[in-house]
Amino acid sequence: MSATARHTYQVEVREVVQETTDAVSLTLHAVTGPTDSLDYRPGQFLTLRVPHPDGPLTRCYSLSSAPDSTACPTITVKRVHGGRASQWICDNAVPGTIFDTLAPAGTFVPQDWSAPFLLVAAGSGITPIMSILRTALAAHENPITVAYANRDAESVIFTRELDLLARHHRDRLTVTHWLESESGRPTEATLRTWLAAAPNSHAYLCGPAPFMTSTRNALVANGFDASHIYAEVFTSLTTDAFGPAPVPEVGGSAATSTATVELDDEVHTITWPEDTVLLEVLLAQGLNAPYVCREGTCGGCAYTLRRGEVHLRENHTLDQHDLARGTRLACQSEPRSDTLDIVFDQ
Ligand SMILES: Cc1cc2nc3c(=O)[nH]c(=O)nc-3n(C[C@H](O)[C@H](O)[C@H](O)COP(=O)(O)OP(=O)(O)OC[C@H]3O[C@@H](n4cnc5c(N)ncnc54)[C@H](O)[C@@H]3O)c2cc1C
Ligand code: FES
């Protein structure tokens, strides 16, 4: 098996903003790579190599800035109790700190900006939500409700900006907060009352897994169309995403399927061995398929399966609604039908 090298860039921290006692925003600029190396879409994330005494750690951090604005790309990191990379960043990042990064990635990106949005966040989950919110307000006209849950008032990130935006865009933006210190842990029943937005809204959720499960159940119980509920899961990668990707030799003895794959507006027909994941087949053909972690965690390789069946070796990010929509992970997909039709449209 050979290997293909990753495009790695370096970014330098321009400014560090202390958002709360436990959260910092880092504005970044590229010091290596082409000028478009940090071009991103609202809701996407960067993958950083974070220094640590035990050895570097690979971690994803969503961009909180809006790509269309004049603001430098900005990530917002919340300290996780006992967490290694987040503590390192919160305690050590200063203007001039350099990080290795992979190109922006991720599929938590709205496709339809005309629908009403319900943006639901808990804790650090506000980060991609903020990028989507800033973009929608600046470049679109849809009505938006932001519902943001936190432990207490001191934990609320972007509190002042959310307040200012709500006042400035009174006609189309509502911001509502849930504080556990005042109202207790949100339950499915209380979420149903709190999240009483128009059921035709498109909902974007980001926060701890149990919160997102309760939120999704509450929305469906409130009449939301489950296919219009999108979620981003925050977890730590366990592998080094900066290492070269293994590429299998072509011509093994395994049975093969045939797939058409639409990628970057081109359609390719591939022969796909049943014991090989889609990502490796595409990389072996020299195709520029998107990926980050290769462990089924980040969603950076998501595609839509239009026809056929696949088996996912691992899946730590897609839920049953994503799967029902046809979303699958290229880094984990083995073919289970003779022919398949695939599009990278996420
Ligand atoms: C797509 C994506 C986007 C993300 N965006 C953001 C963002 O915008 N902002 C943000 O703050 N985070 C974000 N995250 C989460 C981020 O990548 C990290 O997971 C987070 O910062 C915690 O990493 P850490 O190294 O500090 O914690 P880790 O060291 O990974 O620890 C996490 C938890 O596990 C416990 N733990 C660690 N090691 C062990 C062990 N050996 N045994 C038992 N328990 C252990 C820790 O105590 C801690 O509670 C995102 C994640 C993804 C996948
Ligand atoms: S590359 Fe991260 S889930 Fe596939």
Side-chain angles (χ1 to χ4, degrees), residues 45 59-62 76 78 81-86 127 234-236:
F45 60 86
R59 293 289 182 269
C60 306
Y61 290 106
S62 305
T76 302
K78 182 167 178 177
H81 186 66
R84 291 157 295 169
S86 60
T127 307
F234 279 8
T235 38
S236 294

Side-chain angles (χ1 to χ4, degrees), residues 97-118:
T97 302
I98 303 256
F99 292 102
D100 291 337
T101 181
L102 301 179
T107 56
F108 189 60
V109 178
Q111 312 263 346
D112 177 358
W113 293 85
S114 62
F117 279 179
L118 172 63

Side-chain angles (χ1 to χ4, degrees), residues 279 290-302 317 329-332:
L279 179 67
Y291 68 96
V292 175
C293 70
R294 303 196 304 270
E295 60 180 62
T297 301
C298 75
C301 63
T317 182
L329 303 173
C331 72
Q332 301 298 325

Side-chain angles (χ1 to χ4, degrees), residues 12-16 26-29 72 94-97:
E12 181 178 354
V13 176
R14 272 238 165 104
E15 195 189 356
V16 179
L26 310 182
T27 58
L28 306 168
H29 78 113
C72 291
V94 290
T97 302

